[in-house]
Amino acid sequence: FITNNKDRLNDYFFQYIVNVIIPMIILFLSSLVASYFLLMFLRNRKEQFNLYICIALFLISIYSTGLFIEGVPFGYLIATKIWYTALFLAQMFLVFYFQEFYKIHSHWIIKAVLGFITSVCCLILIFTKTVDFAYFLINKIFYLALVSPINLYFLFLSIYAIKKGNPYAIVLLVGISMMVIGATYDIIFVSLANEPPMWLTNSGIVLYILSMYLTSP
C-alpha cells in the first residue's frame, strides 16, 4: 500500500528495476549469448541447434527493447507488431533448438506444423489495424493458444530428456521452469484483465538464458 512519499519512491524504484533494469539485462545477455552461439555454429555448421538458438536469442533481444522503450519514432502499433512477432518467432526457434539439442521429436512434420501456426499468428498480428485489437489478440488468444502450449512442450521435452539421460537436461529444466512459471503467472492476470503486482516473465527469461549458457557444449 502506498501511503506516503517514501512508499511512492520505493514503488517507483521497484517498477524501475522490473520494467527497465531487468529488460536491459535480457537485452545484454541475449545479445552476448547469441554472439557466442553464432561463433559456435560457424566453427561447426553441422550442429544446427547453435544456429537456432542464435536466431531465437536475437529475436528475444528485439522483443526486450519493447519492455523499456516508451517512445518509438515509427508508431506504437508498428512497434507492438515487431516486438510480439519477434517473441512468437523466438519461441518457434527455441523449440527447434530443443528438438535438435536433445535429439528428440526432431521431425520435419512437427517443425512444419509449428512453423505454419506461428506464421499464421504473426501474419494476423501484422495486419491488425489498432493497438487495442492487437493486444486483445496477444493477451486473449495468442498467449493461450500459442505461447502457453509451447511452454508446456518445453517442459515435456526437458522431462523426457532427463529420462533419456541427457546431462544438460536438469539445468535447462530449471531455467525453462522459471520462465514457464513466470509466463503462466503473467498470463493468468492478463486473461483476467488485471495487471500483476510484478511481471515475472522477464525474470524467467533471464534465468533461462543463463541456463542455456551454462549448458552450452
Side-chain angles (χ1 to χ4, degrees):
F1 296 98
I2 299 177
T3 58
N4 52 48
N5 287 333
K6 181 179 180 181
D7 291 340
R8 188 172 291 107
L9 287 173
N10 289 335
D11 181 65
Y12 287 154
F13 180 73
F14 176 77
Q15 294 298 330
Y16 182 77
I17 294 294
V18 173
N19 298 319
V20 178
I21 299 300
I22 291 180
M24 290 182 71
I25 292 174
I26 295 174
L27 177 61
F28 173 76
L29 285 178
S30 56
S31 301
L32 180 65
V33 181
S35 301
Y36 170 78
F37 280 109
L38 177 60
L39 292 175
M40 295 291 291
F41 172 71
L42 294 176
R43 190 179 69 176
N44 185 0
R45 302 197 179 191
K46 292 182 180 180
E47 295 181 342
Q48 290 187 339
F49 58 82
N50 286 323
L51 178 62
Y52 291 145
I53 195 60
C54 174
I55 296 173
L57 290 170
F58 174 74
L59 292 168
I60 289 175
S61 299
I62 295 175
Y63 167 71
S64 66
T65 61
L67 301 174
F68 61 88
I69 294 178
E70 292 292 335
V72 287
F74 43 80
Y76 195 73
L77 176 59
I78 297 176
T80 298
K81 294 177 180 181
I82 293 173
W83 294 330
Y84 284 95
T85 297
L87 176 63
F88 299 149
L89 291 175
Q91 273 208 311
M92 181 185 72
F93 281 103
L94 282 174
V95 171
F96 295 166
Y97 164 74
F98 264 63
Q99 292 172 330
E100 294 293 331
F101 187 77
Y102 286 147
K103 293 180 172 57
I104 51 177
H105 282 210
S106 185
H107 304 295
W108 70 268
I109 296 178
I110 298 177
K111 288 185 172 66
V113 171
L114 178 58
F116 174 77
I117 295 173
T118 303
S119 299
V120 169
C121 291
C122 290
L123 286 173
I124 293 173
L125 179 60
I126 288 171
F127 287 103
T128 302
K129 299 297 184 181
T130 65
V131 174
D132 290 339
F133 188 61
Y135 275 102
F136 170 79
L137 291 174
I138 293 166
N139 296 332
K140 299 296 184 180
I141 299 177
F142 295 154
Y143 272 165
L144 299 177
L146 180 66
V147 177
S148 295
I150 289 179
N151 285 338
L152 293 176
Y153 185 55
F154 283 148
L155 287 176
F156 165 78
L157 288 178
S158 297
I159 294 171
Y160 188 82
I162 290 174
K163 291 183 178 181
K164 298 287 285 186
N166 190 296
Y168 304 112
I170 295 178
V171 177
L172 283 173
L173 178 60
V174 172
I176 192 63
S177 296
M178 295 299 101
M179 187 173 72
V180 170
I181 292 171
T184 303
Y185 171 86
D186 292 348
I187 288 170
I188 290 173
F189 273 90
V190 170
S191 300
L192 297 175
N194 292 316
E195 183 173 335
M198 177 179 179
W199 295 94
L200 296 181
T201 303
N202 302 342
S203 302
I205 291 175
V206 171
L207 295 174
Y208 179 55
I209 293 173
L210 287 173
S211 72
M212 287 189 294
Y213 184 76
L214 292 173
T215 58
S216 60

